[in-house]
Amino acid sequence: MPKKKGNACSRCGKPFVGLIAAKTVAIMITIYFCAVFFFNLLVLGDEWLQGQLSFLEPVIPFGWEYIPISLVGPVIIMPIIMGIIVPALERRHAMGGALACKDCQTLIRKEQEAAVETAKAKEEAKAYAHMAKVEGLENSDPWLGKLIRVWRLDNPSKLPDETMLEELIMARNMEKAGNFEKAAVILEKYRF
Ligand SMILES: [Zn+2]
């Protein structure tokens, strides 16, 4: 049986023996029924030829009834192997669109969990840095600090986002420069 992509772990290349065996059995059964069909067709009504081929008898039975049997056999057996057994074996190895062996499935699952953890930690670090920035502005700049405190009272359990902080800093700089009108436009946006 040639080593095909679907018959081995997509990660470590370990072959799926059960799957290969099931497919091999399916191919062998097909070949066997083909042989039974072919030889029975050949010797039908030809006793001399049947005598010549009698050495095949232990493996391939001769008789007219084996012609329909060799045709119906695969029709019954093939759907069972290829339609039930092979998909069931494949499902056991299925992992996110690819096939993986048990060891690799455990590894892949662990990697996915680790990736989720890392993403979560990054997200938390980012949130913490943002909070530190907001608190830093609150404490270091009385004008901004007052605005942020008022906003946080109106928006409990929320933090001003990056854009808002930048715009507030801009408004403060405008006020310092005497541009009160533009500063007022920004402050109005945040209902100050
Ligand atoms: Zn593997």
Side-chain angles (χ1 to χ4, degrees):
M1 187 96 188
K3 199 172 162 189
K4 272 194 275 163
K5 224 180 168 184
N7 292 332
C9 174
S10 59
R11 193 185 161 100
C12 70
K14 189 177 150 193
F16 301 141
V17 178
L19 204 56
I20 293 169
K23 286 181 183 174
T24 307
V25 167
I27 289 171
M28 281 164 65
I29 288 173
T30 309
I31 292 170
Y32 178 70
F33 276 117
C34 281
V36 171
F37 178 76
F38 173 76
F39 281 111
N40 273 287
L41 214 58
L42 208 63
V43 302
L44 200 69
D46 192 336
E47 273 178 29
W48 178 81
L49 196 58
Q50 189 167 345
Q52 293 297 304
L53 292 172
S54 61
F55 67 92
L56 285 171
E57 287 254 35
V59 186
I60 295 175
F62 289 128
W64 68 268
E65 69 272 23
Y66 289 110
I67 288 177
I69 287 173
S70 62
L71 287 174
V72 173
V75 173
I76 295 168
I77 294 169
M78 277 308 128
I80 294 174
I81 296 179
M82 297 312 284
I84 297 170
I85 297 174
V86 166
L89 289 170
E90 279 175 346
R91 258 199 302 282
R92 253 207 273 167
H93 297 297
M95 183 102 202
L99 298 179
C101 71
K102 254 207 167 95
D103 292 342
C104 290
Q105 280 186 351
T106 312
L107 273 178
I108 290 168
R109 222 169 270 133
K110 268 187 191 157
E111 277 172 9
Q112 284 172 344
E113 279 168 16
V116 168
E117 282 300 310
T118 310
K120 227 160 79 185
K122 265 191 194 158
E123 206 52 50
E124 273 169 17
K126 221 170 109 187
Y128 184 77
H130 185 67
M131 196 177 80
K133 187 180 173 182
V134 172
E135 278 172 2
L137 281 174
E138 247 185 277
N139 297 329
S140 64
D141 189 316
W143 187 88
L144 273 177
K146 201 180 141 197
L147 288 181
I148 291 170
R149 269 191 294 279
V150 169
W151 187 88
R152 285 180 77 178
L153 279 176
D154 287 341
N155 301 274
S157 71
K158 266 191 189 174
L159 282 175
D161 63 20
E162 205 62 42
T163 321
M164 182 180 168
L165 291 179
E166 270 167 30
E167 289 190 329
L168 288 182
I169 292 167
M170 217 154 69
R172 186 203 52 196
N173 291 340
M174 284 167 178
E175 269 209 3
K176 271 187 185 166
N179 196 342
F180 298 108
E181 246 171 66
K182 273 194 175 169
V185 170
I186 294 173
L187 294 182
E188 202 138 291
K189 187 179 161 188
Y190 296 105
R191 298 172 194 282
F192 289 127

